[in-house]
Amino acid sequence: MAPGTLVHVGEKKAERVVVRVWAYNQSELIEKELETVDDCLVFKDRPDLNVWINVDGLDRVEVIEKLGNCFGIHPLTLEDILNTGQRPKMEDYESYIYTVLKMMLLSKTWDEDLEEIIVDQVSIILGPNFLLSFQEREGDVFGPIRERLRKPDSRLRKSGVDYLAYSLIDSVIDYYFVILENFGEKVEDLEDELISDPTPETLHTIQRYKRDMILLRKSVWPLREMINGMQKVESGLIKESTRIYLRDVYDHTIQVIDSIEAFRDILSSMLDVYLSSVSNKMNDIMKVLTIIATIFIPLTFIAGVYGMNFEYMPELRWKLGYPAVMAFMILIGILMFAYFKRKKWL
């Protein structure tokens, strides 16, 4: 297909496409769900308002295309929005700044004790007085931001859309800390299980956690470049006062990366501990079996000697022969057991 051809690439995660708008300044707030994309033209002609339009669901290409035409978005940007396999990045188109990142949420599985990480792509377009955000489904981490928008004295209401863009990115990254905290608790429980009684299920859990860390790492590492680019981009769309907050987000990203690398090292060491534990457990089993076999070797020898049935064996006709042999065999077993105990082999 030609560059800029609009095709949704990815899984359909929303039953319907929902377009919501928040138009605000310090004294006024308009919050509503748009019935058609054409309704956004009303807010485009209001330069006195900052406009945030959020789209949940990307499978209806015509909605994304109309919204792009309304705000003058380049077809290549719209193509990237519809392709949900994008790597986190930032692109400066002079009239707007396009950023894409991965939002992660925790969701309960069929087993209530297990949680899985849901990864959705979030695209953000920052314009002169508008901000467009595109998500794969309803449900996100932006609830606190919406609550702050409803308060007239909040910084969001007093600031421009560049501060809103920072707030959205910051919310996504802050939720990474929630995921890592939850992950840290699980790792502690897994360490206790690993020391007390490792099982094959423990190995499966370690492997699953390693996959989660790889997923997190792939989503977070490019964020460092993206936020650094937003700090340094020569664009009037981002005010100098907002760049200070972007530096703080950059620090949070570095902390998340450090935590991920630490957990990766912990999981690698846990895998080594598991293999060592299984090996030690097998060694203990083999040691017990070897000791039992060693004790029975002389007893088997004695039983074999007196089972040869030679005619001239004096002990066979001795009245106390059987009790004497049994007592001798028991004595040998006790002495060998005591010797192994003294050597601390048992």
Side-chain angles (χ1 to χ4, degrees), residues 249-289:
V249 175
Y250 183 82
D251 292 339
H252 290 176
T253 306
I254 297 300
Q255 292 177 29
V256 172
I257 291 174
D258 290 343
S259 299
I260 291 173
E261 293 301 321
F263 279 127
R264 288 187 68 201
D265 293 340
I266 291 172
L267 289 171
S268 297
S269 63
M270 288 176 70
L271 185 59
D272 294 337
V273 170
Y274 172 81
L275 296 176
S276 299
S277 298
V278 171
S279 178
N280 291 337
K281 193 173 182 180
M282 182 63 68
N283 289 340
D284 290 339
I285 294 173
M286 293 303 298
K287 182 175 69 175
V288 172
L289 294 177

Side-chain angles (χ1 to χ4, degrees), residues 55-326:
V55 180
D56 294 325
L58 304 178
D59 56 292
R60 286 183 58 189
V61 176
E62 66 275 9
V63 173
I64 309 298
E65 186 175 14
K66 283 184 178 180
L67 199 56
N69 293 334
C70 178
F71 287 92
I73 308 303
H74 198 281
L76 289 178
T77 302
L78 299 179
E79 182 184 11
D80 287 346
I81 291 172
L82 290 170
N83 187 344
T84 58
Q86 292 293 319
R87 182 178 184 267
K89 63 180 180 178
M90 186 277 296
E91 294 178 347
D92 181 13
Y93 283 84
E94 294 186 359
S95 60
Y96 63 87
I97 294 175
Y98 169 63
T99 59
V100 58
L101 64 160
K102 300 295 184 180
M103 178 174 63
M104 296 190 177
L105 297 169
L106 289 174
S107 175
K108 291 288 185 181
T109 62
W110 59 272
D111 185 348
E112 290 297 322
D113 295 331
L114 295 177
E115 290 179 321
E116 64 176 354
I117 298 176
I118 296 177
V119 182
D120 285 342
Q121 179 170 295
V122 177
S123 300
I124 299 173
I125 296 176
L126 171 63
N129 69 321
F130 67 87
L131 185 141
L132 309 178
S133 58
F134 301 86
Q135 305 181 56
E136 295 186 62
R137 74 180 91 204
E138 290 190 75
D140 50 38
V141 297
F142 302 145
I145 295 177
R146 298 185 183 99
E147 291 298 323
R148 285 157 57 191
L149 277 175
R150 297 185 181 107
K151 298 177 181 178
D153 57 344
S154 66
R155 185 185 293 273
L156 276 171
R157 293 281 290 273
K158 299 176 183 178
S159 305
V161 287
D162 58 332
Y163 186 81
L164 176 61
Y166 145 75
S167 300
L168 297 179
I169 295 172
D170 185 54
S171 295
V172 172
I173 294 175
D174 281 349
Y175 203 81
Y176 288 163
F177 287 105
V178 177
I179 293 175
L180 289 173
E181 182 180 358
N182 179 275
F183 188 81
E185 295 173 357
K186 291 182 178 180
V187 168
E188 289 179 3
D189 295 338
L190 190 60
E191 284 179 328
D192 296 336
E193 179 183 340
L194 191 62
I195 294 173
S196 59
D197 185 25
T199 62
E201 182 61 31
T202 306
L203 178 61
H204 296 157
T205 304
I206 293 174
Q207 295 292 352
R208 187 173 72 250
Y209 288 171
K210 288 189 72 174
R211 287 196 299 270
D212 290 343
M213 283 297 102
I214 292 173
L215 180 64
L216 272 168
R217 190 173 185 270
K218 287 173 62 178
S219 300
V220 175
W221 265 91
L223 272 179
R224 182 173 60 175
E225 302 172 11
M226 186 199 83
I227 297 172
N228 191 42
M230 291 186 69
Q231 291 183 74
K232 297 179 179 179
V233 65
E234 296 180 359
S235 173
L237 297 174
I238 300 178
K239 300 174 184 175
E240 195 61 36
S241 58
T242 304
R243 296 180 193 272
I244 298 174
Y245 292 100
L246 288 173
R247 286 201 293 269
D248 182 63
V249 175
Y250 183 82
D251 292 339
H252 290 176
T253 306
I254 297 300
Q255 292 177 29
V256 172
I257 291 174
D258 290 343
S259 299
I260 291 173
E261 293 301 321
F263 279 127
R264 288 187 68 201
D265 293 340
I266 291 172
L267 289 171
S268 297
S269 63
M270 288 176 70
L271 185 59
D272 294 337
V273 170
Y274 172 81
L275 296 176
S276 299
S277 298
V278 171
S279 178
N280 291 337
K281 193 173 182 180
M282 182 63 68
N283 289 340
D284 290 339
I285 294 173
M286 293 303 298
K287 182 175 69 175
V288 172
L289 294 177
T290 302
I291 288 174
I292 292 173
T294 303
I295 291 175
F296 273 89
I297 285 175
L299 308 185
T300 305
F301 172 75
I302 294 173
V305 169
Y306 287 100
M308 291 186 293
N309 295 322
F310 286 114
E311 182 177 356
Y312 298 103
M313 292 184 70
E315 294 86 353
L316 294 179
R317 299 182 181 278
W318 184 29
K319 186 177 181 179
L320 298 177
Y322 174 75
V325 170
M326 291 300 296

